[in-house]
Amino acid sequence: EDQVTQSPEALRLQEGESSSLNCSYTVSGLRGLFWYRQDPGKGPEFLFTLYSAGEEKEKERLKATLTKKESFLHITAPKPEDSATYLCAVQNNNDMRFGAGTRLTVKP
Amino acid sequence: GAVVSQHPSRVICKSGTSVKIECRSLDFQATTMFWYRQFPKQSLMLMATSNEGSKATYEQGVEKDKFLINHASLTLSTLTVTSAHPEDSSFYICSAQRGRGGEQYFGPGTRLTVT
């Protein structure tokens, strides 16, 4: 059965303290892995799509990487405005499956 | 850009009534739209997949007669919660997919409260 597991469940960082969020997956026929950011009471905001192992994408302080078993979302020198829940999702041939998310809090 | 809107953003209704939620892709055509439900501090739960011009595909455990989905055009899908009950209170989010198997772009969500 396809599974997506995100860790940690919650992460508290000081401003400027870099860290990584993990998304482990087992899926038959991966067509894409997606990262989203979700603020409370809002819909998820698309960040990245990764299609194949070894691929990396960057946007401002965020960098997403992909292997055959997991993806990392690296946050470099985070700011309080980066506080949000980060969701990853995997797309197989039929549907998209979401992880439970990592709730990130960045304290000033 | 890829903008998806939802209307209304919040709705309060009485038990037994029906509520319609609209989802529109504003700047692209979406062959496929999705409806999700999200409980507090939980991830998105896919309810149904909606393809333009055809019947929606519902996930296991989702009552198709209770959650009516219509995808009348490439830019509009609607979810109607019929005979709403307090346990239907939740955050409903739609998404639109640009291209087959591509990323989904989400609407801002609709907070439904059934009293």
Side-chain angles (χ1 to χ4, degrees):
Chain A
E1 184 182 322
D2 295 348
Q3 282 194 323
V4 182
T5 305
Q6 289 189 248
S7 61
E9 192 174 307
L11 180 62
R12 297 172 72 88
L13 299 173
Q14 287 294 133
E15 184 172 3
E17 180 187 0
S18 302
S19 188
S20 296
L21 282 53
N22 177 265
C23 174
S24 298
Y25 65 92
T26 54
V27 64
S28 52
L30 177 72
R31 295 187 64 180
L33 185 142
F34 306 88
W35 281 98
Y36 290 87
R37 168 191 171 132
Q38 187 176 24
D39 292 297
K42 296 186 178 180
E45 174 190 342
F46 171 73
L47 294 175
F48 303 109
T49 309
L50 301 167
Y51 292 105
S52 57
E55 190 175 358
E56 298 183 354
K57 288 194 176 172
E58 282 188 72
K59 179 181 178 180
E60 295 179 356
R61 293 179 292 283
L62 300 177
K63 179 180 175 180
T65 61
L66 180 66
T67 72
K68 289 186 178 179
K69 295 182 179 181
E70 58 191 349
S71 176
F72 289 95
L73 184 66
H74 307 277
I75 301 179
T76 302
K79 299 181 178 181
E81 53 260 43
D82 295 322
S83 297
T85 295
Y86 290 85
L87 301 168
C88 84
V90 295
Q91 174 91 42
N92 61 17
N93 290 323
N94 299 313
D95 56 25
M96 180 179 284
R97 190 175 295 269
F98 280 84
T102 293
R103 206 162 51 253
L104 175 66
T105 304
V106 182
K107 303 186 75 175
Chain B
V3 181
V4 176
S5 70
Q6 268 184 254
H7 178 80
S9 58
R10 289 177 181 271
V11 58
I12 301 172
C13 70
K14 292 188 176 180
S15 190
T17 62
S18 295
V19 173
K20 180 185 281 189
I21 303 169
E22 290 188 351
C23 177
R24 293 180 185 272
S25 57
L26 298 184
D27 52 1
F28 67 101
Q29 293 186 330
T31 307
T32 306
M33 288 185 169
F34 303 84
W35 287 95
Y36 293 85
R37 185 172 179 174
Q38 188 175 36
F39 292 104
K41 295 187 177 181
Q42 293 188 25
S43 191
L44 303 166
M45 184 187 80
L46 180 64
M47 298 175 67
T49 301
S50 168
N51 290 296
E52 186 264 338
S54 64
K55 290 184 178 180
T57 303
Y58 290 81
E59 294 298 301
Q60 194 171 11
V62 178
E63 298 176 60
K64 61 181 180 182
D65 295 331
K66 182 171 183 60
F67 298 98
L68 300 178
I69 292 172
N70 183 273
H71 193 159
S73 76
L74 287 171
T75 59
L76 173 64
S77 177
T78 60
L79 168 69
T80 302
V81 183
T82 62
S83 187
H85 291 284
E87 56 264 32
D88 298 325
S89 299
S90 190
F91 191 52
Y92 292 87
I93 311 175
C94 73
S95 71
Q97 189 170 50
R98 184 160 65 178
R100 183 174 169 78
E103 54 266 18
Q104 295 179 26
Y105 293 90
F106 286 83
T110 297
R111 173 74 59 192
L112 170 63
T113 304
V114 184
T115 61

